[in-house]
Amino acid sequence: MEKQRKALTGVALVTVFLITACGGGSGQSETSPSASAPTDPAKVAGEITVLTNRTDMVTDGTLEKYAAEFNKVYPQVKVKFDGITDYEGEVKIRMNTENYGDVLLIPSTVSRDDYPKFFSALGPAAELSKKYQFTEKGTVAGTVYGLTSFAVVNGFVYNKDVWTKAGVTEWPKTPADFLTALQAVKDKTGVIPYYTNYKDGWPLSGWQGAMGSISCDPKANDKLATSDNPWAPGTDLNVSDTLLFDIVGKKLSEPDPTTTNWEDSKGMLANGKIASMYLGSWSIAQMRDAAEKAGKSADTIGYMPFPTRVNGRFCAPTTPDYVYGVNKHSKQQQAARAWIDWLLDKSTFTSDIQGISSVRGAPLPPALKPFEEAGVQVFELSQADSGKVTTIDNAAEVGLTKPEYRQHLVDIARGAAKGDLNGDFGALAKKWAEAVALGG
């Protein structure tokens, strides 16, 4: 995935955007067909289209290589990939019809309650949760409509050589420590300490991934569904958004955020032109690949948790990335389900991108070994009320997972928009509280 979380789908092999706000829909019936798991691969046949925002993986042939391996098991299924640059914008339009591919990733802006309107049932949650982690995110009324592609932790990917040159050899333990470290990078190396990727926008959405890191609370995201003020002092959103604001306000980010470029940023980090970015752990593989292409060691790239600790330990909640869904209008239900099952269970996709597998019992990826060695507390962030949170977010028109929300914070911090941080927090809290009071 390269463009909207390119990962975030960090690597999302397939992705789809959807449309509804507070329970709105397109009038489709909520009765969904069942995309049951095939029992005999030899009998599964047809052609499926997989929508993806990983245009890079389409262009370089990576997805075709996965399809070739898939065909060794399912020889009668042809897989086509539709790589879309403006994925969310274009697919949103397609969702007004029945033609939105056969397999796709359900974006986080879609209310979970609306899944049955657009996606096929994949099976009972009670059964699928025995095999897969993170099934809460794709479950509606005990039925799973989406299976997590992979999970990530969130933190700062950074150039070790630059930080060492700046004299910073330990992970900062507080936001103040982190700002001091960035200032040292600026003063002692002349390198851009932090890169917002403001122009592409979607990387800024990754700051929502700090939920749970500050409080070390598995229920941090669920609590947004009942909170009157998620930006109160000391809350996860307050601490993380304040750090972003201070980074920009103290001129520790790129001089002109309107000219940033995601593709260029990978090479800039690898070559020591920028020092750090806040991204999901999916980014580690991409940054290490960029380092090797630049003639550097992959070990130049490091990854650190959010700079807060609880009881002396850093915390890193695992959060599911996009979930795979099957278009309920697809004529190839079993073939579509076969692709999802094979990708999760048999392919090397998750390990290739250094993602956390949704299959229970799978080990953490090697890229996160430093977290294990440092005793970082890794835990699953609950998604039990994520549907309610999305509905409230849509009603409040805050856009927690949309780039505009934090682009506005950056604009205030750099003096390109009126207002101040506390005023912005107050306005956000007011809209949020009103939506909570109305039940979303």
Side-chain angles (χ1 to χ4, degrees):
M1 297 189 172
E2 235 111 56
K3 199 170 163 171
Q4 356 307 32
R5 260 143 37 170
K6 262 171 177 158
L8 244 187
T9 263
V11 249
L13 260 195
V14 227
T15 216
V16 56
F17 190 72
L18 245 179
I19 53 203
T20 59
C22 268
S26 60
Q28 284 113 320
S29 165
E30 299 219 9
T31 301
S32 291
S34 174
S36 58
T39 56
D40 186 351
K43 294 181 179 180
V44 181
E47 180 177 298
I48 60 172
T49 297
V50 174
L51 304 186
T52 176
N53 59 2
R54 283 308 296 265
T55 54
D56 61 315
M57 297 179 83
V58 175
T59 302
D60 67 13
T62 298
L63 297 189
E64 287 297 338
K65 291 177 182 178
Y66 288 131
E69 291 299 312
F70 170 76
N71 284 145
K72 292 177 181 179
V73 182
Y74 293 93
Q76 297 190 74
V77 179
K78 180 175 177 56
V79 184
K80 293 174 60 180
F81 301 99
D82 187 356
I84 304 169
T85 301
D86 179 16
Y87 191 90
E88 295 193 352
E90 186 172 331
V91 177
K92 180 177 180 180
I93 295 173
R94 294 190 192 186
M95 294 302 296
N96 291 312
T97 72
E98 296 182 358
N99 182 23
Y100 44 97
D102 297 288
V103 179
L104 52 155
L105 287 168
I106 307 173
S108 58
T109 49
V110 180
S111 176
R112 192 167 62 189
D113 293 339
D114 289 333
Y115 286 6
K117 298 177 182 178
F118 301 98
F119 305 103
S120 301
L122 302 181
E127 290 300 316
L128 288 173
S129 62
K130 294 176 183 177
K131 182 176 183 180
Y132 298 107
Q133 305 180 84
F134 318 112
T135 53
E136 282 181 340
K137 187 172 182 180
T139 299
V140 180
T143 297
V144 176
Y145 293 89
L147 288 171
T148 295
S149 52
F150 62 94
V152 299
V153 297
N154 291 277
F156 289 91
V157 61
Y158 67 103
N159 186 302
K160 293 180 183 177
D161 293 343
V162 171
W163 280 61
T164 298
K165 186 177 179 181
V168 184
T169 57
E170 294 184 354
W171 292 344
K173 297 179 176 63
T174 66
D177 288 346
F178 190 79
L179 292 170
T180 298
L182 294 188
Q183 189 66 55
V185 167
K186 182 177 182 178
D187 294 342
K188 297 180 181 179
T189 72
V191 171
I192 296 172
Y194 183 82
Y195 199 75
T196 65
N197 265 305
Y198 174 102
K199 186 178 179 180
D200 284 88
W202 62 264
L204 275 172
S205 304
W207 279 81
Q208 188 63 22
M211 288 299 300
S213 296
I214 292 96
S215 58
C216 209
D217 183 359
K219 296 287 187 179
N221 191 70
D222 291 342
K223 290 178 179 178
L224 294 176
T226 55
S227 174
D228 289 333
N229 184 5
W231 291 272
T235 60
D236 287 25
L237 283 176
N238 179 287
V239 173
S240 59
D241 285 350
T242 297
L243 178 57
L244 173 61
F245 185 91
D246 287 343
I247 288 171
V248 177
K250 293 179 181 296
K251 303 187 183 305
L252 298 173
S253 56
E254 70 281 346
D256 184 0
T258 64
T259 62
T260 63
N261 181 285
W262 162 250
E263 290 300 333
D264 290 348
S265 73
K266 291 184 283 187
M268 292 171 69
L269 184 74
N271 283 299
K273 295 182 179 179
I274 57 179
S276 60
M277 295 186 280
Y278 189 75
L279 295 166
S281 56
W282 56 264
S283 65
I284 301 171
Q286 293 191 34
M287 300 304 167
R288 289 183 172 176
D289 180 62
E292 291 179 339
K293 288 179 179 177
K296 312 285 186 179
S297 168
D299 290 337
T300 300
I301 304 301
Y303 197 70
M304 70 176 76
F306 195 91
T308 55
R309 298 195 303 170
V310 175
N311 296 324
R313 296 179 68 184
F314 291 102
C315 298
T318 58
T319 57
D321 205 82
Y322 288 127
V323 298
Y324 293 117
V326 174
N327 181 348
K328 67 179 289 183
H329 305 291
S330 171
K331 306 300 183 185
Q332 305 293 343
Q333 294 288 316
Q334 278 215 318
R337 176 62 184 276
W339 172 256
I340 292 175
D341 286 358
W342 178 86
L343 198 64
L344 294 180
D345 301 348
K346 303 297 183 182
S347 80
T348 60
F349 172 65
T350 301
S351 59
D352 289 345
I353 63 169
Q354 295 290 309
I356 298 171
S357 176
S358 61
V359 177
R360 291 193 180 280
L364 285 175
L368 292 180
K369 187 176 181 181
F371 275 41
E372 290 185 299
E373 294 173 342
V376 176
Q377 186 170 336
V378 178
F379 57 90
E380 183 177 344
L381 188 70
S382 172
Q383 301 295 318
D385 290 326
S386 62
K388 294 179 183 178
V389 173
T390 300
T391 299
I392 292 168
D393 186 36
N394 288 338
E397 297 183 342
V398 169
L400 290 176
T401 60
K402 295 177 182 178
E404 293 82 5
Y405 162 46
R406 289 181 176 85
Q407 283 176 327
H408 185 60
L409 282 177
V410 170
D411 285 342
I412 295 174
R414 67 191 182 96
K418 295 181 180 179
D420 56 53
L421 183 61
N422 289 333
D424 193 57
F425 283 167
L428 291 169
K430 183 176 184 295
K431 293 194 293 183
W432 192 269
E434 289 173 350
V436 170
L438 293 172

